Amino acid sequence: MIELGGLTKAYGDMVVVDGISLTIPSGGITSIIGPNGAGKSTLLSMIGRLLKATAGTVSVDGLDVAATPSNTLARRLSVLRQENHITARLTVRDLVTFGRYPHSRGRVTAGDRDKVTAAIDWLGISDLAGRFLDELSGGQRQRAFIAMVLCQETDHVLLDEPLNNLDLKHAVGMMKLIRRAADDLGRTLVVVLHDVNFAAHYSDRIIAMRGGKVVHHGTPDEVVRADILTDIYDVPIAVHELAGTRVVTCFG
Amino acid sequence: MASVLRRPGPVLALLAIAALVVMVLFMTIKARGAWDFVLPFRGRKLAALLVVGHAVAVSTVLFQTVTANRILTPSIMGFDALYVLVSTALVFFFGATRLTTLDPQLKFAIDVILMALFAALLFRWLFSGGTRSLHLLVLVGIVFGILFRSLNSFMQRMIDPNEFDVLQDVLFASFNAVDETLLGISAVAIVVVSVLVWRERHALDVLSLGRDHAINLGLDHRRAVTRILFLVTILVSVSTALVGPVTFFGLLVANLAWQVAGSARHVHVLPVAVLLAAIALVGGQLVLERVFALNASLSMVIEFIGGVVFIALLVRRGQQ
Ligand SMILES: Nc1ncnc2c1ncn2[C@@H]1O[C@H](COP(=O)(O)OP(=O)(O)O)[C@@H](O)[C@H]1O
Ligand SMILES: [Mg+2]
């Protein structure tokens, strides 16, 4: 369970995340949606302690993120940013092995190696395990990074726009993987998504942000409504029921 | 063969053998039987080359790791320029004779202390908070470097040309006349630092992924970076104070090490860089002295080659 209390980030006078208090329950997928600049990445980075909050608190399973040793948190929560450039020349297996660091502290055991192989298999990139990251396509690299954070075996996994740079087929594949991580591995996923249709179809809860505030949150049925989305995105949006799913269209 | 050479084990073994061969040749070639004189004389020089090579190689690899950048060396942050500034100021205010007659141990102490103070001042920027503070630190270092260099050229222009000649001689790194006591002190400092670095080798691997991944994997990033930069400072100060500035050499061996080590892990890259530095310095000195019978110009040759590599790296970057 992740609890936010009055969480705020300001750069000078500009308040980017504005006093958010919210509880994200354990299990399932919680999506964060909202227009560009709404503060989604900033919020996720503060939850993942990559960014210091100006005010307010974040606690993960009751542990205050600002006060708990980083290494303790690394066994409960993992976070992946949108951009993941790495200078070091690593193979997929090297990268995924880093996911074991919070447990192994660099002394990789046979058990760690099995878990690395399992994570690589689970993401369907076994044939790429020996390839260097700079020899992969964007989607393949994205899966390697996801394998790393899953290998970390944390209850909570935070992902910032994991569908970035993916075509439709790979985006669907990625969302199915995230769904399986929640259902089969029992992880709690908090995912920033650009595409409202993906959020509507795959998530258990949606947090809708605008101007640094959470303006709505609830189940997809509660949040994916024409009036709410029109309000958030500031363009006329229609919601249709199609084969049991809500489909969002936009007439600019 | 080619695939064997991409694995860290064989690479390390090969380099170790090459380093050993170069060192034995350096000690024995053209000795003409005068062992009593040759061995201690060459031994001292060899030790100076190894100490400096080790310090430069390790400090550059560490600096590149924490800054996640392969074209930076600690010297870009103004350490070398500060060393030059101390000597230039001595000549400027007290004359060249004062510089050449100054007790080398006193000069060493002044240099090390000033460089350490300068580093401490720089590191304040690291603690100023924010995500970009490491970049800020590097930037401030570069600005200080420029400031020192302008002061240097200002003072050097006002110095008597004869005194300027003396200064120039002093400012090119020289492995010939190294004070024995200082060599001992430096060697001990570098061994202690190396032990501390070795204990950080796994954390260094994590740091090389960049700040966000390092934090995600449970590293206290700021503390780790501060620790590493502290060790870098000791290495750079000691080696610069011992023989003078070597700017591009670190860039040369560190980049070569990342390429040939066959692994991105510091367990492999650090020893490979140290061995490459030993081979380059000792081998270079051997070729210059024994083959071409030239003296004291090794640092110029190495800086020239290092400079070319630096430009090549910049050009390749530009094309990507
Ligand atoms: N380091 C920074 N300094 C100043 N403003 C920033 C900084 N980082 C982000 N912002 C601003 O914060 C706002 C929210 O950014 P972000 O969280 O990345 O939005 P989102 O991910 O929802 O698109 C944007 O207006 C952005 O310009
Ligand atoms: Mg974003």
Side-chain angles (χ1 to χ4, degrees):
Chain A
M1 187 165 70
I2 299 173
E3 289 166 288
L4 316 179
L7 194 61
T8 301
K9 181 73 194 180
Y11 294 101
D13 291 340
M14 191 169 71
V15 179
V16 171
V17 168
D18 195 356
I20 293 182
S21 298
L22 187 79
T23 299
I24 302 173
S26 287
I29 300 175
T30 301
S31 301
I32 304 177
I33 61 167
N36 291 333
K40 307 182 292 293
S41 298
T42 308
L43 178 68
L44 203 77
S45 298
M46 284 194 290
I47 298 174
R49 71 181 172 328
L50 301 180
L51 192 64
K52 242 182 103 194
T54 311
T57 56
V58 178
S59 77
V60 175
D61 287 342
L63 296 173
D64 180 357
V65 164
T68 308
S70 194
N71 187 47
T72 309
L73 284 172
R75 280 178 260 129
R76 294 173 175 261
L77 168 138
S78 54
V79 53
L80 193 61
R81 272 210 158 146
Q82 197 171 337
E83 306 286 334
N84 288 294
H85 176 74
I86 289 186
T87 323
R89 195 149 190 269
L90 301 174
T91 64
V92 171
R93 188 176 291 280
D94 293 338
L95 180 76
V96 179
T97 306
F98 274 111
R100 297 306 300 161
Y101 184 80
H103 308 272
S104 72
R105 304 301 266 157
R107 284 173 190 78
V108 181
T109 63
D112 291 322
R113 283 199 196 91
D114 291 344
K115 287 179 174 170
V116 169
T117 304
I120 290 174
D121 288 348
W122 201 81
L123 276 132
I125 45 174
S126 313
D127 49 330
L128 306 173
R131 290 261 284 273
F132 286 100
L133 292 179
D134 54 15
E135 299 166 353
L136 301 181
S137 74
Q140 293 169 334
R141 201 174 307 133
Q142 183 76 306
R143 276 193 276 172
F145 278 106
I146 305 259
M148 176 180 79
V149 292
L150 288 184
C151 208
Q152 225 173 307
E153 292 191 314
T154 55
D155 287 340
H156 301 85
V157 181
L158 316 180
L159 304 173
D160 195 350
E161 303 217 10
L163 306 187
N164 211 19
N165 294 327
L166 300 190
D167 61 30
L168 264 177
K169 177 181 155 204
H170 288 96
V172 170
M174 180 60 73
M175 282 317 296
K176 283 188 168 153
L177 276 169
I178 291 173
R179 191 66 251 176
R180 274 174 53 210
D183 296 342
D184 300 352
L185 306 178
R187 312 290 178 86
T188 303
L189 285 115
V190 182
V191 187
V192 174
L193 290 178
H194 226 90
D195 190 312
V196 183
N197 281 320
F198 276 109
H201 187 70
Y202 288 98
S203 30
D204 300 300
R205 284 167 299 275
I206 295 180
I207 296 174
M209 291 183 70
R210 191 194 56 206
K213 293 198 161 95
V214 170
V215 283
H216 290 278
H217 69 106
T219 62
D221 285 349
E222 289 162 357
V223 177
V224 182
R225 283 180 8 210
D227 55 333
I228 292 179
L229 293 179
T230 302
D231 175 45
I232 294 168
Y233 286 97
D234 204 19
V235 282
I237 287 176
V239 176
H240 317 272
E241 196 84 26
L242 249 177
T245 329
R246 297 198 169 195
V247 178
V248 173
T249 54
C250 164
F251 320 99
Chain B
M1 185 73 194
S3 70
V4 166
L5 282 179
R6 296 200 156 273
R7 294 220 309 273
V11 170
L12 268 171
L14 255 163
L15 289 177
I17 293 168
L20 212 64
V21 169
V22 171
M23 282 189 255
V24 169
L25 285 178
F26 181 82
M27 290 299 284
T28 55
I29 227 172
K30 284 192 188 166
R32 295 202 187 86
W35 296 110
D36 292 351
F37 166 73
V38 165
L39 284 188
F41 177 75
R42 290 191 184 173
R44 205 158 46 229
K45 204 184 234 179
L46 179 66
L49 290 167
L50 292 180
V51 162
V52 170
H54 186 110
V56 172
V58 173
S59 61
T60 310
V61 169
L62 296 191
F63 193 73
Q64 295 193 340
T65 292
V66 295
T67 54
N69 194 313
R70 297 285 161 82
I71 55 171
L72 287 178
T73 80
S75 45
I76 201 166
M77 304 195 21
F79 287 103
D80 292 8
L82 180 62
Y83 172 85
V84 175
L85 184 65
V86 172
S87 301
T88 308
L90 275 173
V91 174
F92 185 79
F93 292 110
F94 303 109
T97 24
R98 197 56 186 271
L99 179 67
T100 46
T101 55
L102 186 68
D103 178 5
Q105 294 176 17
L106 179 64
K107 172 85 174 12
F108 181 82
I110 295 175
D111 284 331
V112 170
I113 289 170
L114 277 178
M115 282 188 257
L117 282 177
F118 172 60
L121 176 83
L122 275 185
F123 290 177
R124 290 170 53 94
W125 268 277
L126 191 65
F127 291 108
S128 67
T131 25
R132 299 276 157 260
S133 46
L134 187 61
H135 296 127
L136 186 64
L137 170 83
V138 173
L139 200 66
V140 171
I142 293 172
V143 171
F144 268 109
I146 295 171
L147 175 73
F148 294 156
R149 281 183 196 101
S150 337
L151 279 175
N152 285 335
S153 52
F154 174 71
M155 282 194 275
Q156 284 171 3
R157 241 162 246 164
M158 319 240 310
I159 295 174
D160 173 292
N162 293 321
E163 299 208 319
F164 182 70
D165 266 359
V166 176
L167 180 64
Q168 280 275 286
D169 249 18
V170 173
L171 288 183
F172 253 111
S174 160
F175 299 94
N176 286 324
V178 174
D179 185 284
E180 219 164 292
T181 318
L182 295 182
L183 190 55
I185 296 173
S186 308
V188 170
I190 280 167
V191 167
V192 171
V193 169
S194 299
V195 170
L196 296 175
V197 168
W198 194 247
R199 287 173 47 185
E200 303 268 5
R201 60 196 186 279
H202 299 303
L204 281 164
D205 292 340
V206 174
L207 278 175
S208 70
L209 300 180
R211 179 184 175 276
D212 293 345
H213 289 299
I215 294 176
N216 171 50
L217 294 172
L219 222 59
D220 185 336
H221 183 257
R222 183 184 287 185
R223 287 225 335 240
V225 167
T226 310
R227 268 201 315 272
I228 302 296
L229 285 181
F230 174 73
L231 297 176
V232 168
T233 307
I234 300 178
L235 291 174
V236 174
S237 311
V238 166
S239 91
T240 310
L242 192 64
V243 298
V246 251
T247 309
F248 290 119
F249 178 58
L251 202 71
L252 186 71
V253 288
N255 275 288
L256 213 55
W258 294 117
Q259 299 241 322
V260 304
S263 145
R265 292 171 59 199
H266 287 76
V267 189
H268 303 125
V269 174
L270 283 171
V272 165
V274 167
L275 289 172
L276 283 172
I279 294 168
L281 279 186
V282 179
Q285 190 78 11
L286 180 74
V287 170
L288 282 182
E289 271 183 31
R290 315 281 196 277
V291 179
F292 296 115
L294 292 168
N295 239 333
S297 40
L298 173 66
S299 66
M300 289 187 221
V301 174
I302 283 186
E303 289 297 274
F304 176 72
I305 297 172
V308 170
V309 169
F310 180 64
I311 292 169
L313 283 173
L314 283 182
V315 170
R316 221 179 53 184
R317 271 273 181 121
Q319 285 170 346
Q320 273 172 8

